[in-house]
Amino acid sequence: MSPESPKIEPDRLAERLRALPGLDRVRDAAGDLRAYLVGGAVRDLLMGSERTDLDVAVEGDAAALGGRLGGEIREHERFSTATVRVDGLELDLATARSETYAEPGALPDVRPASLVEDLARRDFTVNAMALPLAGDPELIDPHGGLEDLEHGLLRVLHERSFVEDPTRALRAARYAARYGFELEPRTGELLRAANLDTVSRDRVDGELRKLAREPRARRGFELLDEWGLVPIKAGTGDLIAAVGELAAAEPWSDVIDRGEAVFAAALGTNADAARELAGAEVPSPSRGVELARGHDGVTLALARALGGEWLDRYVGEWRTVRLEIDGEDLIAAGIPEGPEIGRGLAAAMRAKLDGEVGGAEEELRVALDAARS
Ligand code: ATP
């Protein structure tokens, strides 16, 4: 595990559990339904990391618990789950379930089950622990997750884990990047043999987007490349870092979402268009606007990250330049409705961008000249 990783403190579990806002209400609403904090929430509680979303598994009807809690409920029929917001916390309530896979990579068949079976369907031991909400908060850890957490190891629960669901291999990169976890050796062997072709593109992209939103996304994509799962081109790490930096400050933060930009950088999306923009000759602002218009923010950010410095001015200034005149002014001056209007306004815009006109009167003069020519 990386040196800055937090200490694992099982002794402080009870205290940290008590400190979670909203959890008392869940405990009261659960009554005699057996409810448990599970998965990443338990892992993060052990590590002392903050989180705003918690997973609760219920041996019984999770939707009923959701109903008793009030709040905002979304029910997902297939998995008997509900999402509830209480006191600033987002709770995902799910009926404890077991899963069987008809074929590799397919979505699982689901049936209600005990908590122990529910933990057995999970991805890694560190995510397969539970804490009962009522009574003594004693850690339920059938797969040795606590010990693996202490050693910073990602370990699958069984040999077929990545065959059943290869997206777990992508999830491993997310945890490895975020916490500096390493792959337990056998898990590493199994992971390298994972076959992502059995999974739909949407599911793969869903996991990769989650990775792209991580602060240490670069590390995650580099790991996936090292593991032979998702190859990246030379220079991709630097590109991810560069778009991440752009997204952190204005003006770029106004036009791109960091996760989407990192995702595109990692997968090489729109790379050709971005490279072309980055290498373009831009002798004037009006030429810059002509080139950049029509491209989405992510493509522009990739181009900027590839060296197209002029795009800072496009995004920060040129993009929002507006004329003081409009088509009505041209019509009032006797120009008939039709393509002449657009031609005139475009000429005025070019002149304004390039600093050749100031004020409505001069804009109109340039527009009328162009419309009449
Ligand atoms: P984060 O900390 O990024 O929110 P998380 O660990 O809470 O991540 P989620 O994707 O929210 O992970 O899933 C919640 C829990 O569900 C996981 O901790 C894991 O136990 C289980 N899980 C999620 N996806 C899978 C999967 N594909 N296979 C097995 N278990 C899974």
Side-chain angles (χ1 to χ4, degrees):
M1 218 171 2
S2 65
E4 74 270 30
S5 304
K7 246 176 58 211
I8 311 307
E9 297 175 302
D11 302 348
R12 302 189 57 191
L13 261 185
E15 165 202 335
R16 287 180 185 157
L17 186 67
R18 269 198 307 274
L20 289 175
L23 225 59
D24 275 347
R25 273 181 58 194
V26 182
R27 191 179 293 126
D28 292 346
D32 28 328
L33 283 175
R34 279 195 293 246
Y36 306 83
L37 199 65
V38 284
V42 178
R43 176 199 70 221
D44 287 351
L45 216 55
L46 279 163
M47 298 177 87
S49 324
E50 298 262 317
R51 58 187 290 148
T52 51
D53 62 312
L54 299 178
D55 289 333
V56 173
V58 182
E59 286 181 322
D61 187 359
L65 172 56
R68 279 187 228 161
L69 271 167
E72 188 186 311
I73 301 179
R74 273 185 293 136
E75 269 189 54
H76 317 276
E77 196 73 23
R78 185 159 182 269
F79 297 117
S80 337
T81 67
T83 307
V84 183
R85 271 172 236 281
V86 225
D87 298 345
L89 266 188
E90 183 172 308
L91 296 168
D92 276 324
L93 311 174
T95 297
R97 63 185 193 256
S98 73
E99 293 179 346
T100 43
Y101 292 81
E103 55 191 281
L107 286 175
D109 298 315
V110 175
R111 64 170 179 77
S114 67
L115 176 80
V116 168
E117 286 173 283
D118 185 286
L119 294 178
R121 72 173 171 83
R122 291 179 183 261
D123 49 2
F124 302 105
T125 60
V126 295
N127 287 342
M129 295 180 272
L131 263 182
L133 292 186
D136 268 351
E138 197 147 323
L139 189 66
I140 302 172
D141 179 19
H143 304 282
L146 178 59
E147 198 183 336
D148 284 337
L149 194 60
E150 281 166 343
H151 292 102
L153 287 179
L154 289 171
R155 184 194 304 269
V156 284
L157 307 195
H158 57 86
E159 292 269 313
R160 288 184 54 78
S161 187
F162 295 121
V163 176
E164 288 178 348
D165 182 356
T167 65
R168 291 170 184 162
L170 307 175
R171 298 171 59 80
R174 178 150 60 100
Y175 300 122
R178 190 194 300 165
Y179 302 111
F181 290 164
E182 292 189 355
L183 301 175
E184 168 277 323
R186 179 64 185 149
T187 297
E189 281 173 28
L190 297 168
L191 178 141
R192 285 180 169 82
N195 178 7
L196 289 168
D197 294 342
T198 63
V199 188
S200 72
R201 187 71 233 177
D202 272 3
R203 288 190 61 214
V204 169
D205 283 354
E207 283 300 339
L208 293 179
R209 282 204 157 81
K210 284 196 208 164
L211 177 57
R213 289 198 288 268
E214 292 285 321
R216 297 189 201 169
R218 174 187 186 156
R219 173 82 184 130
F221 282 104
E222 286 175 343
L223 283 172
L224 287 177
D225 182 52
E226 245 172 77
W227 295 340
L229 292 178
V230 181
I232 56 175
K233 294 214 171 73
T236 297
D238 288 341
L239 191 62
I240 292 175
V243 291
E245 229 169 89
L246 286 178
E250 284 185 348
W252 289 96
S253 52
D254 296 336
V255 294
I256 51 166
D257 169 77
R258 178 185 171 277
E260 282 305 310
V262 168
F263 178 76
L267 271 71
T269 320
N270 298 357
D272 290 345
R275 255 192 301 274
E276 214 169 289
L277 281 173
E281 276 291 317
V282 184
S284 61
S286 62
R287 177 66 184 139
V289 169
E290 197 182 331
L291 286 168
R293 202 177 16 211
H295 289 289
D296 61 18
V298 166
T299 308
L300 298 178
L302 290 171
R304 170 63 184 91
L306 288 167
E309 287 180 21
W310 61 275
L311 285 155
D312 287 339
R313 292 195 63 202
Y314 171 74
V315 172
E317 300 170 37
W318 308 339
R319 182 175 63 99
T320 49
V321 169
R322 298 286 176 268
L323 290 174
E324 289 178 39
I325 57 167
D326 60 21
E328 296 298 326
D329 296 306
L330 273 69
I331 292 169
I335 306 294
E337 280 184 53
E340 293 83 358
I341 304 275
R343 196 166 69 229
L345 291 174
M349 181 55 113
R350 278 195 300 276
K352 181 162 189 170
L353 281 164
D354 296 341
E356 293 161 1
V357 295
E361 217 168 290
E362 289 184 29
E363 288 178 12
L364 190 60
R365 182 178 45 74
V366 171
L368 291 175
D369 281 355
R372 287 178 183 140
S373 65

